[in-house]
Amino acid sequence: MTITDVLERLARRRVRRYLLHALALMERNALYRDDVDWPAVRADALAGCAGAVAYTGTHETLRRVLRQAGGPHSGLRPPGARTTAKAPAPPTGGLVDGVAHLRLPACGGDSRGYRDAGNRVVRELAAAGPAGWIVDLRGNQGGNMWPMLAVAAPLLPDGVLGHFVPPHGPDQVWTLRRGRIALAGRTLARTGNPPTEAPVAVLTDGSTASSGEAVAVAFRSRPHVRTFGTPTHGMTSANETHQLRDGTRMYLTASYFADHHRTVHRGPLQPDDPGGTDPLTAAATWVRAPHG
């Protein structure tokens, strides 16, 4: 046996361990893990990657199993992979017929800058004494949900905001306490603004997805809250990030979103009121109406 043969055999063993480790993470944590025949999946994966001497030789197989075990929200990103993500836009706002209109875009990249910009906008809008608020999540495709919730926190009551609900095991609860946004008791973001009590309309559309939907879930079933627009994208689930040996990030969907009542949401969030061809105007009209 030559040195080359020995090195190739060692490389295949490393790849095998890498593949089995990734599959074990899915088997323990994936949202649809109970629907997968894991002995058969492992056998097929090992057979399909038997000749691989580089970790990348397993990635297509892992993507296929991820789709089966975690659904379409799961994914794999090798180190150095190109991303088409746009630079994050900050929250913006203005007044619509005396109603504060807060636009919350997706949050990626500079989460502190997003939160600080959003807190300034909320502070300026609150100083205008609006009749109520419109939280506009249209086009929000997700990212980091915690700065988004921190910006919206003055419009939400203290207490439970929502849950991550896995197939087995305990929920992870998102809470708001005195301006602190926490997950399972661990503070992840803070708001710099005091709470305000006013009616809130939430706008969504088919591009409201993932963490954008999580913010919408935090407002679900609240007194003096009504949703307008069109159904959300339907990616109402949470991902765990696992970094594999070569730096590849595996995004594994592991739980559903649930609101503060622990009502689990699977699929698109339906609005209370479509709002016709102009949901923004419909939302402002509702906010200005008397609320008992």
Side-chain angles (χ1 to χ4, degrees):
M1 182 177 290
T2 67
I3 294 291
T4 299
D5 293 334
V6 171
L7 292 175
E8 285 188 359
R9 176 176 290 184
L10 291 173
R12 285 194 294 271
R13 288 178 180 172
R14 285 194 297 269
V15 169
R16 177 188 172 90
R17 288 194 296 269
Y18 175 93
L19 176 64
L20 289 173
H21 172 66
L23 292 174
L25 288 171
M26 295 184 216
E27 186 175 3
R28 286 196 302 270
N29 301 295
L31 186 59
Y32 307 117
R33 59 184 182 267
D34 292 343
D35 299 331
V36 177
D37 181 347
W38 288 105
V41 164
R42 274 193 299 275
D44 288 347
L46 288 169
C49 299
V53 294
Y55 298 134
T56 53
T58 69
H59 286 178
E60 190 52 45
T61 294
L62 290 176
R63 287 189 180 96
R64 185 173 64 253
V65 181
L66 272 171
R67 287 192 292 270
Q68 182 181 0
H73 200 182
S74 298
L76 205 67
R77 178 175 291 177
R82 298 170 110 189
T83 175
T84 57
K86 298 177 181 178
T92 57
L95 292 175
V96 178
D97 295 332
V99 175
H101 178 206
L102 174 64
R103 291 178 289 270
L104 292 181
C107 176
D110 182 11
S111 60
R112 177 176 293 182
Y114 181 104
R115 181 202 61 196
D116 292 347
N119 284 342
R120 284 194 299 271
V121 169
V122 169
R123 192 158 50 245
E124 291 165 2
L125 289 173
W133 294 75
I134 297 169
V135 177
D136 196 338
L137 298 171
R138 292 176 297 180
N140 184 326
Q141 296 182 339
N144 187 343
M145 65 187 275
W146 311 112
M148 299 182 208
L149 285 173
V151 174
L155 311 179
L156 290 160
D158 269 16
V160 174
L161 297 182
H163 304 73
F164 294 142
V165 180
H168 308 289
D171 296 359
Q172 288 190 297
V173 184
W174 340 326
T175 55
L176 170 62
R177 307 281 186 197
R178 298 180 180 178
R180 296 188 304 113
I181 306 292
L183 174 64
R186 184 166 67 95
T187 299
L188 296 179
R190 296 177 184 269
T191 182
N193 293 313
T196 179
E197 292 187 10
V200 178
V202 178
L203 295 182
T204 63
D205 65 8
S207 294
T208 307
S210 188
S211 295
E213 289 170 297
V215 178
V217 164
F219 282 96
R220 301 287 285 195
S221 305
R222 302 282 185 185
H224 307 308
V225 172
R226 190 166 179 81
T227 56
F228 294 80
T230 56
T232 62
H233 185 74
M235 210 169 273
T236 48
S237 53
N239 281 352
E240 297 176 352
T241 302
H242 299 274
Q243 184 161 312
L244 304 181
R245 183 172 182 173
D246 62 339
T248 292
R249 291 180 180 271
M250 184 169 71
Y251 302 104
L252 182 59
T253 305
S255 56
Y256 285 113
F257 297 153
D259 60 27
H260 69 290
H261 289 311
R262 205 186 175 278
T263 300
V264 176
H265 296 279
R266 296 178 176 88
L269 303 173
Q270 301 296 325
D272 298 317
D273 188 335
T277 58
D278 189 357
L280 177 59
T281 298
T285 300
W286 176 82
V287 167
R288 289 195 307 271
H291 296 271

